[in-house]
Amino acid sequence: MCEGMNRPSVGIFGLTGCAGDQLVILNCEDQLLDLLGALDVRDFLLASSRNDVTCELDVAFVEGAVLSKRDEKHLRRIRERSATLVATGTCAVWGGVAAMDGGARRAQYLNDVYGELGAYYDSQPAKALHEVVKVDLNISGCPIEKGQFLAAVANLLNGDPPLLAEYPVCGECKMRENNCLLIEKGQVCCGPLTVAGCEARCPGLGMPCIGCRGPASDVNVESALSTFRSKGISEDQIVMKLRTFAPVAVTAGNAESVHG
Amino acid sequence: MAETIRVEHLARVEGHGGITVELDGDTIGSVRFDIFEGLRLLETMVRGRSYEDVAGVASRVCAICSVAHSLTSLKATETAFGIQVSPQTALLRQLLFRGENIQSHALHLFLLAVPDYLDYPGAAALARDRADLVMLGLHLKKLGNSIQESIGGRAVHPVNVAVGGFGKVPDADQLIALRHGLLDARKDCQTVIDLVASLPSADHCRCDTVFAALRSPGEYGYYAGEEITVISNGTRETIPVSEYRSLTNEKAVLHSHAKHSAFRGEPFMVGALARLAANSDLLDGSAGGFAERLGLALPSRNPMDNNKAQAVELVYDVECALRDVERLLDEGPRPEPPVAVRPRAGAGTAATEAPRGLLFHSYTYDQQGLLASADVITPTALNAASIENHLRHTVAQSRQIDAPSLTKKLEMVVRAYDPCISCSVHLVRKRHAV
């Protein structure tokens, strides 16, 4: 990963998810044709009906979570053929919204939704990619930020290890000189525990952070929790919010990062 | 001789689906639009969550229609709590919908659908010969995204929307920048129509089709409205949104993770072509002329015309978004906090028009404002049975051609619907009434 690449072969894949991260890639309208020049995109089903589905790949970007045997098989095949596998987006990195309940009541939910047929569908509790295969790089975000994706591509092309923030959203929020929604208004803002990279989009609009990028690793969890408590916000409340996007990262009473 | 035509994994559509056609001599056996998108069951997972959290999860049903899911969710919650939003909020939401529609139609038409007509595997290959065309699509897509960013706070999964209003109302500078972009894009509109008019014709599954679309009062819109128009065999009838189940009549089928819908036993089509069929009397300005230039006879008997209908909406939305932005600038955008929310036990159902058609969110809340049940029915789920119907007609009307040509026609039918397969997969059924 740390050697420069001359027009690397690339695959862009979606497991189960909303396709938001692939959409962000297509949303790089100003860079898209340059990207297609710099990268040899060999397998991208969302964008092309002619794909090489067996060739070796220098880099695979994979979005979505693993929710079926089919997903799992697909992911293992991608891993076998790829030198660098990039978990792209919060579902791929953390499991995302489909993992919200930790898989506990899946059989019941399937029955609720599909009745007796539910038992026949190929369905399993949501897993992040790293729970199934080795992952080389994580770009989180729901969806990923365009700038972070483009910077990661540029780094890969130049042979530099991509630099992604490990500090929380609060750092970026302070840089933007936003009023603090937690301290000043007592709102349940997940900024202190959520990884930066979004330029504090939500607090910048007066909306509390909902933790869509997953947890920050470089954070003083105890201190953040004590700030929440001082504002009358219980640990359960904050854990409930954080579970929405990154359930594997959070256990009740102990918000911690499990994966760098 | 028995033969199976199969598309294992459809390209250039959002999500995971395929096509299976079983033939035995002259007899057409099973024709299936297979949906094997993983099951996320989001509606069940959001049960018990506060009303404040629901739209943020609902948005994640689908990225390309994340505005539609967010705003339909908010509309359902506001209905349940008896909240009336301000006229400015309603106008901004309508504008946000137009931004999403521009983004989604530009993506679908130029990057996903047009390559079929010109015999390219995708937009990257097309760009080598027709960079002008791909650039035109990207330019319009970017414009739609800029509307979503300015009003919704982000192009995918809007962050600036809330129950009762917006986090921050866009200021005059942002609106002026949008006006600039829209004025610029207006120059492209004729090119879009000329391009679509010049595409080779695709007409291989002609049949009577039932259409259903939301009717917005007084304008060709996507957000406001409480009534569904159904057009069937030359008759129109109206169904109140609150009685949506009498339209949808869903049932689970084994080959698809999307449930199938039928109205009085007939599959029906939703999306741009259905909207034009139901609401073309509400088009003003040059849009009527565009429909005529494309030879759109409404209601159409050719589902492939959905691509043309999207082109008409694309250029019409540029005009309307410009009008909406100018109105906001004339009135002066006023900062206003969201309407105060007083949760109460109750039910709310909302319908809107997502880019690919009718979308329903129906919720019940308990008195603390925690979600007790949710039902979400998406356009691609509504279309699933209709897609199979049109695939069957394609096979019946293409018996003399070779398998690869037939396969391409079948793929084009599915693609014309602009399916969003992530969306189509059901998340929940209503079980626990409050």
Side-chain angles (χ1 to χ4, degrees):
Chain A
M1 183 159 93
C2 293
E3 282 170 39
M5 295 179 185
N6 184 24
R7 205 155 186 266
S9 54
V10 168
I12 300 173
F13 305 95
L15 303 179
T16 296
C18 72
D21 305 298
Q22 295 180 81
L23 186 61
V24 168
I25 295 172
L26 293 174
N27 281 353
C28 299
E29 291 98 355
D30 291 338
Q31 297 86 12
L32 204 56
L33 295 184
D34 288 340
L35 273 176
L36 291 171
L39 307 175
D40 180 14
V41 180
R42 305 286 284 273
D43 196 350
F44 187 7
L45 193 70
L46 177 60
S48 176
S49 45
R50 194 179 301 149
N51 295 297
D52 186 337
V53 297
T54 55
C55 68
E56 292 197 353
L57 297 167
D58 292 315
V59 187
F61 293 96
V62 184
E63 83 151 310
V66 177
L67 268 108
S68 61
K69 290 191 193 78
R70 186 186 178 97
D71 279 342
E72 192 159 333
K73 204 169 134 199
H74 189 196
L75 176 60
R76 287 189 198 283
R77 281 201 52 213
I78 296 167
R79 178 68 274 186
E80 280 165 19
R81 57 194 283 231
S82 309
T84 298
L85 190 148
V86 185
T88 309
T90 297
C91 287
V93 177
W94 296 107
V97 286
M100 207 186 293
D101 76 326
R105 287 164 292 180
R106 192 154 190 90
Q108 181 58 46
Y109 287 174
L110 273 171
N111 186 63
D112 283 1
V113 175
Y114 293 96
E116 286 172 14
L117 281 184
Y120 294 92
Y121 293 136
D122 173 14
S123 169
Q124 59 189 40
K127 284 187 219 148
L129 306 193
H130 73 84
E131 296 177 77
V132 179
V133 298
K134 176 174 167 285
V135 169
D136 302 298
L137 177 68
N138 290 303
I139 304 177
S140 71
C142 186
I144 56 169
E145 292 288 335
K146 219 189 249 190
Q148 282 197 321
F149 169 76
L150 291 170
V153 169
N155 284 325
L156 289 168
L157 284 168
N158 290 317
D160 302 325
L163 264 182
L164 294 164
E166 292 172 357
Y167 51 86
V169 171
C170 292
E172 292 177 337
C173 201
K174 287 194 173 68
M175 293 289 282
R176 289 185 62 180
E177 301 184 350
N178 295 327
N179 293 330
C180 180
L181 298 171
L182 172 61
I183 305 285
E184 292 175 30
K185 294 191 173 170
Q187 293 187 6
V188 187
C189 180
C190 299
L193 295 169
T194 301
V195 71
C198 56
E199 304 290 327
R201 260 178 203 279
C202 299
L205 294 161
M207 305 288 282
C209 169
I210 60 172
C212 81
R213 301 179 51 74
S217 54
D218 185 7
V219 60
N220 184 338
V221 175
E222 252 328 299
S223 147
L225 290 177
S226 104
T227 309
F228 285 122
R229 277 193 294 269
S230 74
K231 290 290 162 188
I233 298 163
S234 71
E235 238 167 85
D236 283 352
Q237 265 178 292
I238 196 78
V239 166
M240 173 81 140
K241 288 262 182 198
L242 291 172
R243 282 190 70 88
T244 310
F245 291 94
V248 295
V250 186
T251 53
N254 179 26
E256 64 171 354
S257 165
V258 297
H259 194 71
Chain B
M1 190 183 70
E3 184 189 1
T4 300
I5 294 176
R6 176 167 285 158
V7 179
E8 285 286 344
H9 205 155
L10 261 173
R12 274 185 283 125
V13 297
E14 191 285 322
H16 307 287
I19 301 169
T20 306
V21 174
E22 288 167 1
L23 299 168
D24 191 354
D26 284 340
T27 311
I28 304 170
S30 172
V31 176
R32 299 193 301 269
F33 174 39
D34 307 300
I35 291 187
F36 40 79
E37 183 77 26
L39 302 171
R40 292 184 292 160
L41 308 173
L42 297 184
E43 296 148 292
T44 43
M45 300 209 182
V46 85
R47 281 202 301 239
R49 299 295 296 260
S50 162
Y51 69 90
E52 293 170 310
D53 299 341
V54 175
V57 177
S59 173
R60 268 71 188 184
V61 173
C62 170
I64 306 180
C65 4
S66 54
V67 160
H69 278 285
S70 298
L71 296 188
T72 312
S73 173
L74 295 175
K75 195 176 166 187
T77 297
E78 288 158 0
T79 304
F81 294 161
I83 292 171
Q84 285 281 340
V85 298
S86 74
Q88 176 175 272
T89 293
L91 180 57
L92 284 166
R93 286 182 178 176
Q94 176 55 61
L95 178 57
L96 189 48
F97 257 93
R98 294 201 195 280
E100 175 168 84
N101 219 39
I102 292 169
Q103 167 269 136
S104 181
H105 285 0
L107 170 69
H108 174 248
L109 271 179
F110 289 90
L111 304 188
L112 308 181
V114 164
D116 281 325
Y117 287 83
L118 301 179
D119 248 338
Y120 287 87
L126 180 61
R128 284 194 276 277
D129 298 333
R130 292 292 308 273
D132 61 316
L133 211 154
V134 175
M135 292 300 286
L136 175 64
L138 289 175
H139 183 67
L140 287 164
K141 187 161 109 44
K142 187 179 168 190
L143 173 77
N145 279 331
S146 71
I147 296 174
Q148 298 191 92
E149 274 158 20
S150 303
I151 316 287
R154 186 159 66 182
V156 177
H157 301 317
V159 294
N160 192 30
V161 298
V163 178
F166 284 87
K168 179 174 172 285
V169 173
D171 58 29
D173 286 347
Q174 287 174 290
L175 293 171
I176 288 167
L178 288 183
R179 181 171 63 184
H180 186 78
L182 285 160
L183 281 169
D184 193 39
R186 211 162 55 159
K187 292 181 235 154
D188 293 332
C189 288
Q190 191 61 48
T191 319
V192 171
I193 296 297
D194 290 344
L195 166 81
V196 174
S198 75
L199 294 175
S201 104
D203 188 356
H204 44 70
C205 45
R206 188 161 277 271
C207 62
D208 288 331
T209 298
V210 180
F211 294 102
L214 180 72
R215 182 129 179 121
S216 283
E219 68 168 347
Y220 192 97
Y222 308 94
Y223 169 68
E226 303 300 331
E227 285 180 348
I228 311 297
T229 300
V230 182
I231 298 177
S232 171
N233 293 322
T235 64
R236 294 170 77 100
E237 61 187 293
T238 298
I239 298 174
V241 167
S242 56
E243 291 167 25
Y244 72 104
R245 279 166 181 262
S246 69
L247 171 72
T248 58
N249 303 302
E250 287 192 301
K251 71 171 201 287
V253 291
L254 203 50
H255 68 278
S256 165
H257 292 180
K259 292 181 183 176
H260 278 200
S261 282
F263 179 64
R264 297 203 188 111
E266 295 279 323
F268 56 91
M269 184 175 187
V270 300
L273 193 57
R275 288 191 289 262
L276 277 188
N279 299 322
S280 60
D281 58 310
L282 297 172
L283 294 171
D284 52 21
S286 46
F290 288 140
E292 207 169 295
R293 165 98 169 82
L294 294 177
L296 268 176
L298 299 167
S300 171
R301 299 185 72 241
N302 178 6
M304 299 301 299
D305 281 346
N306 196 48
N307 291 326
K308 294 181 178 176
Q310 285 197 348
V312 172
E313 286 193 344
L314 178 58
V315 300
Y316 189 59
D317 282 332
V318 170
E319 279 183 27
C320 290
L322 181 60
R323 186 196 64 202
D324 292 347
V325 166
E326 285 180 338
R327 204 174 121 200
L328 283 161
L329 280 167
D330 285 348
E331 291 168 4
R334 280 185 329 281
E336 58 178 0
V339 177
V341 178
R342 241 174 279 137
R344 66 181 194 200
T349 298
T352 62
E353 283 289 338
R356 31 201 70 64
L358 262 177
L359 170 63
F360 296 99
H361 281 230
S362 182
Y363 302 152
T364 53
Y365 281 99
D366 70 12
Q367 56 198 8
Q368 278 86 45
L370 303 180
L371 192 74
S373 70
D375 188 23
V376 172
I377 301 182
T378 65
T380 298
L382 294 174
N383 273 334
S386 182
I387 290 173
E388 287 191 353
N389 180 41
H390 286 136
L391 289 174
R392 182 171 283 278
H393 277 280
T394 302
V395 178
Q397 292 174 35
S398 314
R399 299 311 300 272
Q400 302 308 317
I401 66 173
D402 58 276
S405 306
L406 175 58
T407 304
K408 182 176 173 185
K409 284 188 196 306
L410 294 170
E411 287 193 23
M412 283 177 75
V413 171
V414 177
R415 231 167 258 134
Y417 274 85
D418 189 9
C420 199
I421 298 175
S422 302
C423 271
S424 70
V425 176
H426 228 287
L427 330 173
V428 164
R429 121 182 290 162
K430 198 148 150 183
R431 260 175 88 97
H432 308 284
V434 173

